[in-house]
Amino acid sequence: MSALAEDLIIHADAALDVKTGKLIKPVTLVVDDNKISEIKRGHSKVSGDYKVIELPGHTLLPGLFDMHVHLTSDSQVHGYKRLQRTSQRAAITGVRNAKRTLEAGFTSVRNLGAVGYSDIALKQAIYDGDVPGPRIFASGPSLGVTGGHCDNNLLTHEHAVTAKGVADGPWAVRAKVRENIKFGADVIKYCATGGVLSKGTKVGAQQYTQEEMDAIVSEAHLRGLTVAAHAHGTEGIKSAIKAGVDSVEHVSFLDDEAIMLAKKHGTYFSMDIYNTEYILGEGEKAGILEESLNKERVVGARQRASFGKAVKAGVKMVFGSDAGVYPHGDNGKQFSRMVKFGMTELQALQAATITPATLLKQDQKLGSLEVGKYADFIAVKGNPLENISVMEQVSFVVKDGEIEVDKR
Ligand code: ARG
């Protein structure tokens, strides 16, 4: 874990202004009391009691956001193996994964779905300084219909369990939103369609009626929370957007009308386009069901094509990986895929910095390297605008003014 916060002077080759795409070259960044107090061209000396950090060959970037993770899930434990895991065990898995995530340069994450409020326990432990990790915007259990993607359908009716977030009907879903808020949720997640990794759900089929989705979103917004909807299927994507969700997750089967609706409503898309490589490559060993592998064979390619279309149409895009399905710490691998399937390097970096900070209403404090914002930044070797794969190896991480990772 990090030492006591000291004021810092950082000398690096460059710093990226993610808003304009301009590099400040070379750069001095000064940290006072957990805030960026100066950022200027050149390697100037500043008088006072500072720790000076030299980062030759490195580019500074804002701390990264991953808007879709499951920190308390283990990528080696899928399908029936999950039935062996308690929520207490999941929280301990989360301790390991939080550290790996921070080491990968992700200083903020949105955790979209966890068993037994394990994500909220983890968030509190990080906040209290007991364990290292990113700042977590946590959902608690995802809301879902009986038998849907966010329920647990692995067992027969004699042994069946019902997932904690299951609620059917407009008032039941409102009550569930209130319950999650009561126990510490920062954001509401619900499942608007079937999914890949659930047993017995049709990935394209809508779950929840328009009326239920409207109720979820209006209740969450009333209380000042944002809403993320899992949706692969076209109709579910559209209903979620019409209900007013802040972001749609996965967004695999996109059509022109859905794109138009997203643009009209200002909805963000969070598309986990690296995930398919892990699921199809390693998933079987990890316990992913054959039925899910078959669904993935259809979804993966469609989602990547949809990603390119959404980018081209100018939909607001945020970086969301669904890490937890695949190993935490590998989050950065998605950057190169985002470029391969339609983004510029700068767009991919914006999707993991200023855009998610805006979605989470944190853009006054986070998301770009600016005087007055939190000292929350990373360093990578080389220039990510020229070679995006440098984002897979982060050398240096400062979160809230504290050095959390130093692998120079
Ligand atoms: N959690 C998601 C689901 O089960 C993962 C989807 C992964 N596949 C993909 N191509 N992104 O539906």
Side-chain angles (χ1 to χ4, degrees):
M1 222 189 314
S2 50
L4 215 63
E6 299 174 81
D7 291 337
L8 306 171
I9 293 178
I10 315 282
H11 289 155
D13 270 19
L16 178 65
D17 178 346
V18 291
K19 290 183 173 170
T20 62
K22 292 214 173 82
L23 289 168
I24 306 172
K25 252 170 99 98
V27 71
T28 300
L29 187 146
V30 185
V31 175
D32 276 298
D33 293 335
N34 307 349
K35 296 248 176 78
I36 298 175
S37 60
E38 238 181 293
I39 176 158
K40 60 186 174 195
R41 194 178 306 278
H43 282 176
S44 50
K45 296 230 170 1
V46 180
S47 55
D49 193 14
Y50 289 96
K51 178 173 180 162
V52 181
I53 308 276
E54 301 291 344
L55 288 162
H58 284 80
T59 302
L60 302 180
L61 298 157
L64 305 172
F65 288 71
D66 190 331
M67 297 296 274
H68 191 136
V69 299
H70 300 279
L71 287 173
T72 61
S73 298
D74 189 323
S75 60
Q76 300 302 312
V77 180
H78 279 285
Y80 282 91
K81 293 186 185 177
R82 291 229 162 143
L83 294 176
Q84 303 288 329
R85 292 277 169 122
T86 61
S87 48
Q88 289 79 4
R89 180 69 186 85
I92 295 169
T93 295
V95 171
R96 178 197 67 192
N97 293 335
K99 181 164 183 277
R100 289 184 181 170
T101 302
L102 191 59
E103 284 170 349
F106 291 81
T107 55
S108 302
V109 299
R110 198 169 55 154
N111 202 84
L112 294 182
V115 290
Y117 297 102
S118 50
D119 53 342
I120 290 165
L122 179 62
K123 171 199 164 137
Q124 287 166 345
I126 293 168
Y127 185 80
D128 291 341
D130 290 351
V131 297
R135 81 176 54 67
I136 301 178
F137 298 87
S139 72
S142 305
L143 275 68
V145 301
T146 297
H149 180 67
C150 287
D151 195 2
N152 181 334
N153 308 324
L154 291 167
L155 297 171
T156 64
H157 70 89
E158 287 96 342
H159 306 283
V161 282
T162 299
K164 186 108 180 95
V166 169
D168 299 296
W171 281 103
V173 296
R174 281 188 187 270
K176 194 53 91 172
V177 168
R178 292 170 187 174
E179 187 178 313
N180 277 354
I181 296 173
K182 172 174 172 170
F183 296 121
D186 307 297
V187 48
I188 298 299
K189 153 91 181 284
Y190 77 91
C191 284
T193 73
V196 173
L197 300 176
S198 51
K199 185 166 184 281
T201 71
K202 292 194 181 70
V203 71
Q206 179 164 337
Q207 296 175 356
Y208 277 133
T209 62
Q210 186 70 55
E211 186 187 12
E212 289 168 306
M213 293 195 206
D214 291 348
I216 294 170
V217 176
S218 96
E219 188 65 36
H221 284 174
L222 201 65
R223 302 289 297 277
L225 275 73
T226 54
V227 183
H230 157 111
H232 289 284
T234 319
E235 293 314 311
I237 295 169
K238 290 178 193 172
S239 292
I241 296 171
K242 286 181 197 155
V245 299
D246 300 273
S247 69
V248 184
E249 310 298 306
H250 310 300
V251 217
S252 305
F253 299 97
L254 199 54
D255 68 6
D256 291 341
E257 192 195 355
I259 289 178
M260 191 209 62
L261 282 169
K263 292 200 67 176
K264 183 173 145 210
H265 289 259
T267 318
Y268 295 78
F269 284 174
S270 160
M271 302 178 71
D272 54 329
I273 60 169
Y274 169 70
N275 219 353
T276 187
E277 293 175 42
Y278 180 80
I279 294 174
L280 294 178
E282 309 290 321
E284 197 181 340
K285 263 192 288 173
I288 293 181
L289 307 176
E290 185 54 34
E291 133 183 14
S292 293
L293 297 173
N294 282 332
K295 288 193 259 189
E296 185 57 46
R297 288 181 188 110
V298 180
V299 168
R302 273 300 300 271
Q303 188 192 32
R304 287 174 161 191
S306 293
F307 177 83
K309 276 194 195 155
V311 171
K312 206 164 167 205
V315 176
K316 294 190 274 187
M317 306 292 285
V318 291
F319 185 109
S321 71
D322 211 1
V325 171
Y326 75 83
H328 294 275
D330 281 357
N331 313 56
K333 288 187 177 174
Q334 186 168 278
F335 280 107
S336 62
R337 279 65 176 186
M338 290 165 89
V339 169
K340 182 167 174 198
F341 292 98
M343 281 185 167
T344 64
E345 285 79 359
L346 179 63
Q347 284 176 321
L349 295 169
Q350 287 168 332
T353 55
I354 190 64
T355 316
T358 307
L359 164 51
L360 290 171
K361 304 179 173 62
Q362 301 294 313
D363 51 314
Q364 296 305 312
K365 299 178 230 162
L366 295 166
S368 58
L369 300 174
E370 286 177 77
V371 171
K373 285 199 178 184
Y374 288 167
D376 193 285
F377 57 87
I378 65 168
V380 294
K381 222 181 200 135
N383 178 356
L385 295 177
E386 277 160 15
N387 176 10
I388 195 69
S389 63
V390 301
M391 298 306 293
E392 293 172 21
Q393 289 289 334
V394 172
S395 317
F396 194 77
V397 179
V398 172
K399 185 190 125 202
D400 281 339
E402 295 194 24
I403 300 171
E404 297 274 3
V405 178
D406 187 354
K407 293 196 215 149
R408 281 174 292 160

PDB file of all heavy atoms in Angstrom, residues 76-100:
ATOM      1  N   GLN A  76     -11.523 -17.554 -13.196  1.00  0.00           N
ATOM      2  CA  GLN A  76     -11.309 -19.012 -13.258  1.00  0.00           C
ATOM      3  C   GLN A  76     -12.529 -19.776 -12.751  1.00  0.00           C
ATOM      4  O   GLN A  76     -12.532 -21.012 -12.768  1.00  0.00           O
ATOM      5  CB  GLN A  76     -10.096 -19.400 -12.393  1.00  0.00           C
ATOM      6  CG  GLN A  76      -8.792 -18.748 -12.807  1.00  0.00           C
ATOM      7  CD  GLN A  76      -8.439 -19.061 -14.233  1.00  0.00           C
ATOM      8  OE1 GLN A  76      -8.483 -20.215 -14.656  1.00  0.00           O
ATOM      9  NE2 GLN A  76      -8.126 -18.030 -15.005  1.00  0.00           N
ATOM     10  N   VAL A  77     -13.505 -19.039 -12.242  1.00  0.00           N
ATOM     11  CA  VAL A  77     -14.656 -19.678 -11.582  1.00  0.00           C
ATOM     12  C   VAL A  77     -15.938 -19.253 -12.285  1.00  0.00           C
ATOM     13  O   VAL A  77     -16.483 -18.182 -12.037  1.00  0.00           O
ATOM     14  CB  VAL A  77     -14.692 -19.277 -10.079  1.00  0.00           C
ATOM     15  CG1 VAL A  77     -15.875 -19.937  -9.371  1.00  0.00           C
ATOM     16  CG2 VAL A  77     -13.384 -19.629  -9.395  1.00  0.00           C
ATOM     17  N   HIS A  78     -16.381 -20.104 -13.210  1.00  0.00           N
ATOM     18  CA  HIS A  78     -17.597 -19.804 -13.971  1.00  0.00           C
ATOM     19  C   HIS A  78     -18.590 -20.960 -13.836  1.00  0.00           C
ATOM     20  O   HIS A  78     -18.248 -22.033 -13.331  1.00  0.00           O
ATOM     21  CB  HIS A  78     -17.252 -19.598 -15.452  1.00  0.00           C
ATOM     22  CG  HIS A  78     -16.729 -18.232 -15.783  1.00  0.00           C
ATOM     23  ND1 HIS A  78     -17.524 -17.122 -15.848  1.00  0.00           N
ATOM     24  CD2 HIS A  78     -15.474 -17.795 -16.068  1.00  0.00           C
ATOM     25  CE1 HIS A  78     -16.807 -16.061 -16.165  1.00  0.00           C
ATOM     26  NE2 HIS A  78     -15.544 -16.442 -16.303  1.00  0.00           N
ATOM     27  N   GLY A  79     -19.799 -20.762 -14.322  1.00  0.00           N
ATOM     28  CA  GLY A  79     -20.812 -21.816 -14.380  1.00  0.00           C
ATOM     29  C   GLY A  79     -21.071 -22.422 -13.000  1.00  0.00           C
ATOM     30  O   GLY A  79     -21.203 -21.703 -12.005  1.00  0.00           O
ATOM     31  N   TYR A  80     -21.123 -23.762 -12.951  1.00  0.00           N
ATOM     32  CA  TYR A  80     -21.469 -24.438 -11.681  1.00  0.00           C
ATOM     33  C   TYR A  80     -20.424 -24.224 -10.590  1.00  0.00           C
ATOM     34  O   TYR A  80     -20.736 -24.346  -9.403  1.00  0.00           O
ATOM     35  CB  TYR A  80     -21.718 -25.927 -11.940  1.00  0.00           C
ATOM     36  CG  TYR A  80     -23.089 -26.144 -12.542  1.00  0.00           C
ATOM     37  CD1 TYR A  80     -23.262 -26.144 -13.928  1.00  0.00           C
ATOM     38  CD2 TYR A  80     -24.206 -26.278 -11.728  1.00  0.00           C
ATOM     39  CE1 TYR A  80     -24.522 -26.282 -14.484  1.00  0.00           C
ATOM     40  CE2 TYR A  80     -25.473 -26.418 -12.277  1.00  0.00           C
ATOM     41  CZ  TYR A  80     -25.625 -26.422 -13.654  1.00  0.00           C
ATOM     42  OH  TYR A  80     -26.878 -26.540 -14.187  1.00  0.00           O
ATOM     43  N   LYS A  81     -19.188 -23.906 -10.964  1.00  0.00           N
ATOM     44  CA  LYS A  81     -18.152 -23.638  -9.945  1.00  0.00           C
ATOM     45  C   LYS A  81     -18.565 -22.477  -9.041  1.00  0.00           C
ATOM     46  O   LYS A  81     -18.159 -22.409  -7.892  1.00  0.00           O
ATOM     47  CB  LYS A  81     -16.824 -23.274 -10.614  1.00  0.00           C
ATOM     48  CG  LYS A  81     -16.148 -24.382 -11.388  1.00  0.00           C
ATOM     49  CD  LYS A  81     -14.786 -23.866 -11.836  1.00  0.00           C
ATOM     50  CE  LYS A  81     -14.053 -24.843 -12.718  1.00  0.00           C
ATOM     51  NZ  LYS A  81     -12.779 -24.254 -13.181  1.00  0.00           N
ATOM     52  N   ARG A  82     -19.356 -21.558  -9.593  1.00  0.00           N
ATOM     53  CA  ARG A  82     -19.760 -20.370  -8.824  1.00  0.00           C
ATOM     54  C   ARG A  82     -20.630 -20.730  -7.625  1.00  0.00           C
ATOM     55  O   ARG A  82     -20.705 -19.981  -6.663  1.00  0.00           O
ATOM     56  CB  ARG A  82     -20.514 -19.369  -9.716  1.00  0.00           C
ATOM     57  CG  ARG A  82     -19.623 -18.737 -10.736  1.00  0.00           C
ATOM     58  CD  ARG A  82     -19.749 -17.225 -10.787  1.00  0.00           C
ATOM     59  NE  ARG A  82     -18.560 -16.691 -11.467  1.00  0.00           N
ATOM     60  CZ  ARG A  82     -18.529 -15.673 -12.294  1.00  0.00           C
ATOM     61  NH1 ARG A  82     -19.637 -15.021 -12.552  1.00  0.00           N
ATOM     62  NH2 ARG A  82     -17.389 -15.268 -12.835  1.00  0.00           N
ATOM     63  N   LEU A  83     -21.313 -21.882  -7.705  1.00  0.00           N
ATOM     64  CA  LEU A  83     -22.199 -22.274  -6.607  1.00  0.00           C
ATOM     65  C   LEU A  83     -21.420 -22.612  -5.343  1.00  0.00           C
ATOM     66  O   LEU A  83     -21.992 -22.708  -4.260  1.00  0.00           O
ATOM     67  CB  LEU A  83     -23.061 -23.468  -7.030  1.00  0.00           C
ATOM     68  CG  LEU A  83     -24.073 -23.175  -8.142  1.00  0.00           C
ATOM     69  CD1 LEU A  83     -24.795 -24.451  -8.541  1.00  0.00           C
ATOM     70  CD2 LEU A  83     -25.080 -22.121  -7.700  1.00  0.00           C
ATOM     71  N   GLN A  84     -20.119 -22.809  -5.457  1.00  0.00           N
ATOM     72  CA  GLN A  84     -19.279 -23.132  -4.305  1.00  0.00           C
ATOM     73  C   GLN A  84     -18.803 -21.878  -3.570  1.00  0.00           C
ATOM     74  O   GLN A  84     -18.134 -21.978  -2.559  1.00  0.00           O
ATOM     75  CB  GLN A  84     -18.030 -23.908  -4.763  1.00  0.00           C
ATOM     76  CG  GLN A  84     -18.329 -25.175  -5.520  1.00  0.00           C
ATOM     77  CD  GLN A  84     -18.880 -26.264  -4.618  1.00  0.00           C
ATOM     78  OE1 GLN A  84     -18.544 -26.331  -3.447  1.00  0.00           O
ATOM     79  NE2 GLN A  84     -19.762 -27.097  -5.163  1.00  0.00           N
ATOM     80  N   ARG A  85     -19.099 -20.708  -4.135  1.00  0.00           N
ATOM     81  CA  ARG A  85     -18.509 -19.493  -3.575  1.00  0.00           C
ATOM     82  C   ARG A  85     -19.517 -18.701  -2.747  1.00  0.00           C
ATOM     83  O   ARG A  85     -20.592 -18.361  -3.247  1.00  0.00           O
ATOM     84  CB  ARG A  85     -17.992 -18.596  -4.719  1.00  0.00           C
ATOM     85  CG  ARG A  85     -16.787 -19.197  -5.442  1.00  0.00           C
ATOM     86  CD  ARG A  85     -15.537 -18.875  -4.672  1.00  0.00           C
ATOM     87  NE  ARG A  85     -14.392 -19.617  -5.154  1.00  0.00           N
ATOM     88  CZ  ARG A  85     -13.272 -19.044  -5.602  1.00  0.00           C
ATOM     89  NH1 ARG A  85     -13.177 -17.741  -5.684  1.00  0.00           N
ATOM     90  NH2 ARG A  85     -12.248 -19.791  -5.961  1.00  0.00           N
ATOM     91  N   THR A  86     -19.156 -18.385  -1.525  1.00  0.00           N
ATOM     92  CA  THR A  86     -19.992 -17.517  -0.690  1.00  0.00           C
ATOM     93  C   THR A  86     -19.704 -16.052  -1.030  1.00  0.00           C
ATOM     94  O   THR A  86     -18.694 -15.743  -1.668  1.00  0.00           O
ATOM     95  CB  THR A  86     -19.662 -17.719   0.801  1.00  0.00           C
ATOM     96  OG1 THR A  86     -18.279 -17.373   0.997  1.00  0.00           O
ATOM     97  CG2 THR A  86     -19.896 -19.154   1.235  1.00  0.00           C
ATOM     98  N   SER A  87     -20.554 -15.172  -0.551  1.00  0.00           N
ATOM     99  CA  SER A  87     -20.278 -13.752  -0.802  1.00  0.00           C
ATOM    100  C   SER A  87     -19.077 -13.272   0.014  1.00  0.00           C
ATOM    101  O   SER A  87     -18.372 -12.359  -0.393  1.00  0.00           O
ATOM    102  CB  SER A  87     -21.516 -12.897  -0.548  1.00  0.00           C
ATOM    103  OG  SER A  87     -22.099 -13.215   0.677  1.00  0.00           O
ATOM    104  N   GLN A  88     -18.812 -13.923   1.170  1.00  0.00           N
ATOM    105  CA  GLN A  88     -17.613 -13.575   1.946  1.00  0.00           C
ATOM    106  C   GLN A  88     -16.356 -13.927   1.143  1.00  0.00           C
ATOM    107  O   GLN A  88     -15.402 -13.147   1.067  1.00  0.00           O
ATOM    108  CB  GLN A  88     -17.593 -14.346   3.281  1.00  0.00           C
ATOM    109  CG  GLN A  88     -18.627 -13.899   4.290  1.00  0.00           C
ATOM    110  CD  GLN A  88     -20.030 -14.445   4.017  1.00  0.00           C
ATOM    111  OE1 GLN A  88     -20.250 -15.241   3.104  1.00  0.00           O
ATOM    112  NE2 GLN A  88     -20.993 -13.985   4.797  1.00  0.00           N
ATOM    113  N   ARG A  89     -16.371 -15.114   0.546  1.00  0.00           N
ATOM    114  CA  ARG A  89     -15.230 -15.538  -0.284  1.00  0.00           C
ATOM    115  C   ARG A  89     -15.056 -14.595  -1.479  1.00  0.00           C
ATOM    116  O   ARG A  89     -13.942 -14.247  -1.865  1.00  0.00           O
ATOM    117  CB  ARG A  89     -15.477 -16.978  -0.763  1.00  0.00           C
ATOM    118  CG  ARG A  89     -14.378 -17.558  -1.641  1.00  0.00           C
ATOM    119  CD  ARG A  89     -13.108 -17.785  -0.840  1.00  0.00           C
ATOM    120  NE  ARG A  89     -12.019 -18.206  -1.716  1.00  0.00           N
ATOM    121  CZ  ARG A  89     -11.242 -17.372  -2.392  1.00  0.00           C
ATOM    122  NH1 ARG A  89     -11.446 -16.072  -2.322  1.00  0.00           N
ATOM    123  NH2 ARG A  89     -10.263 -17.840  -3.144  1.00  0.00           N
ATOM    124  N   ALA A  90     -16.190 -14.161  -2.038  1.00  0.00           N
ATOM    125  CA  ALA A  90     -16.138 -13.242  -3.182  1.00  0.00           C
ATOM    126  C   ALA A  90     -15.474 -11.923  -2.783  1.00  0.00           C
ATOM    127  O   ALA A  90     -14.674 -11.363  -3.533  1.00  0.00           O
ATOM    128  CB  ALA A  90     -17.543 -12.993  -3.716  1.00  0.00           C
ATOM    129  N   ALA A  91     -15.771 -11.431  -1.588  1.00  0.00           N
ATOM    130  CA  ALA A  91     -15.178 -10.167  -1.148  1.00  0.00           C
ATOM    131  C   ALA A  91     -13.655 -10.288  -1.073  1.00  0.00           C
ATOM    132  O   ALA A  91     -12.924  -9.354  -1.421  1.00  0.00           O
ATOM    133  CB  ALA A  91     -15.753  -9.759   0.201  1.00  0.00           C
ATOM    134  N   ILE A  92     -13.172 -11.465  -0.639  1.00  0.00           N
ATOM    135  CA  ILE A  92     -11.714 -11.662  -0.536  1.00  0.00           C
ATOM    136  C   ILE A  92     -11.092 -11.749  -1.929  1.00  0.00           C
ATOM    137  O   ILE A  92     -10.031 -11.186  -2.183  1.00  0.00           O
ATOM    138  CB  ILE A  92     -11.402 -12.900   0.336  1.00  0.00           C
ATOM    139  CG1 ILE A  92     -11.892 -12.613   1.764  1.00  0.00           C
ATOM    140  CG2 ILE A  92      -9.916 -13.216   0.325  1.00  0.00           C
ATOM    141  CD1 ILE A  92     -11.910 -13.817   2.682  1.00  0.00           C
ATOM    142  N   THR A  93     -11.783 -12.386  -2.846  1.00  0.00           N
ATOM    143  CA  THR A  93     -11.350 -12.355  -4.259  1.00  0.00           C
ATOM    144  C   THR A  93     -11.225 -10.906  -4.725  1.00  0.00           C
ATOM    145  O   THR A  93     -10.283 -10.539  -5.432  1.00  0.00           O
ATOM    146  CB  THR A  93     -12.390 -13.095  -5.138  1.00  0.00           C
ATOM    147  OG1 THR A  93     -12.399 -14.466  -4.768  1.00  0.00           O
ATOM    148  CG2 THR A  93     -12.075 -12.972  -6.613  1.00  0.00           C
ATOM    149  N   GLY A  94     -12.166 -10.095  -4.290  1.00  0.00           N
ATOM    150  CA  GLY A  94     -12.172  -8.690  -4.677  1.00  0.00           C
ATOM    151  C   GLY A  94     -10.946  -7.935  -4.193  1.00  0.00           C
ATOM    152  O   GLY A  94     -10.469  -7.021  -4.867  1.00  0.00           O
ATOM    153  N   VAL A  95     -10.422  -8.315  -3.034  1.00  0.00           N
ATOM    154  CA  VAL A  95      -9.214  -7.656  -2.507  1.00  0.00           C
ATOM    155  C   VAL A  95      -8.048  -7.855  -3.479  1.00  0.00           C
ATOM    156  O   VAL A  95      -7.335  -6.913  -3.835  1.00  0.00           O
ATOM    157  CB  VAL A  95      -8.865  -8.193  -1.099  1.00  0.00           C
ATOM    158  CG1 VAL A  95      -7.498  -7.691  -0.642  1.00  0.00           C
ATOM    159  CG2 VAL A  95      -9.955  -7.803  -0.103  1.00  0.00           C
ATOM    160  N   ARG A  96      -7.899  -9.098  -3.930  1.00  0.00           N
ATOM    161  CA  ARG A  96      -6.833  -9.389  -4.905  1.00  0.00           C
ATOM    162  C   ARG A  96      -7.067  -8.610  -6.209  1.00  0.00           C
ATOM    163  O   ARG A  96      -6.157  -7.995  -6.754  1.00  0.00           O
ATOM    164  CB  ARG A  96      -6.824 -10.899  -5.192  1.00  0.00           C
ATOM    165  CG  ARG A  96      -5.791 -11.319  -6.222  1.00  0.00           C
ATOM    166  CD  ARG A  96      -6.083 -12.695  -6.781  1.00  0.00           C
ATOM    167  NE  ARG A  96      -7.307 -12.695  -7.583  1.00  0.00           N
ATOM    168  CZ  ARG A  96      -7.925 -13.796  -7.995  1.00  0.00           C
ATOM    169  NH1 ARG A  96      -7.464 -14.992  -7.671  1.00  0.00           N
ATOM    170  NH2 ARG A  96      -9.022 -13.705  -8.730  1.00  0.00           N
ATOM    171  N   ASN A  97      -8.295  -8.614  -6.678  1.00  0.00           N
ATOM    172  CA  ASN A  97      -8.586  -8.005  -7.978  1.00  0.00           C
ATOM    173  C   ASN A  97      -8.514  -6.482  -7.956  1.00  0.00           C
ATOM    174  O   ASN A  97      -8.160  -5.853  -8.952  1.00  0.00           O
ATOM    175  CB  ASN A  97      -9.955  -8.461  -8.469  1.00  0.00           C
ATOM    176  CG  ASN A  97      -9.960  -9.937  -8.799  1.00  0.00           C
ATOM    177  OD1 ASN A  97      -8.909 -10.508  -9.104  1.00  0.00           O
ATOM    178  ND2 ASN A  97     -11.117 -10.559  -8.727  1.00  0.00           N
ATOM    179  N   ALA A  98      -8.837  -5.892  -6.824  1.00  0.00           N
ATOM    180  CA  ALA A  98      -8.760  -4.434  -6.708  1.00  0.00           C
ATOM    181  C   ALA A  98      -7.313  -3.986  -6.890  1.00  0.00           C
ATOM    182  O   ALA A  98      -7.025  -2.999  -7.578  1.00  0.00           O
ATOM    183  CB  ALA A  98      -9.299  -3.995  -5.354  1.00  0.00           C
ATOM    184  N   LYS A  99      -6.391  -4.729  -6.291  1.00  0.00           N
ATOM    185  CA  LYS A  99      -4.970  -4.388  -6.395  1.00  0.00           C
ATOM    186  C   LYS A  99      -4.503  -4.527  -7.851  1.00  0.00           C
ATOM    187  O   LYS A  99      -3.837  -3.650  -8.393  1.00  0.00           O
ATOM    188  CB  LYS A  99      -4.174  -5.318  -5.482  1.00  0.00           C
ATOM    189  CG  LYS A  99      -2.688  -5.083  -5.457  1.00  0.00           C
ATOM    190  CD  LYS A  99      -2.064  -5.781  -4.236  1.00  0.00           C
ATOM    191  CE  LYS A  99      -0.583  -5.515  -4.127  1.00  0.00           C
ATOM    192  NZ  LYS A  99       0.212  -6.408  -4.980  1.00  0.00           N
ATOM    193  N   ARG A 100      -4.890  -5.617  -8.480  1.00  0.00           N
ATOM    194  CA  ARG A 100      -4.485  -5.829  -9.883  1.00  0.00           C
ATOM    195  C   ARG A 100      -5.035  -4.730 -10.798  1.00  0.00           C
ATOM    196  O   ARG A 100      -4.379  -4.308 -11.746  1.00  0.00           O
ATOM    197  CB  ARG A 100      -4.989  -7.188 -10.377  1.00  0.00           C
ATOM    198  CG  ARG A 100      -4.245  -8.325  -9.730  1.00  0.00           C
ATOM    199  CD  ARG A 100      -4.684  -9.661 -10.304  1.00  0.00           C
ATOM    200  NE  ARG A 100      -3.963 -10.730  -9.633  1.00  0.00           N
ATOM    201  CZ  ARG A 100      -4.243 -12.013  -9.753  1.00  0.00           C
ATOM    202  NH1 ARG A 100      -5.238 -12.391 -10.536  1.00  0.00           N
ATOM    203  NH2 ARG A 100      -3.532 -12.912  -9.125  1.00  0.00           N
TER     204      ARG A 100
END
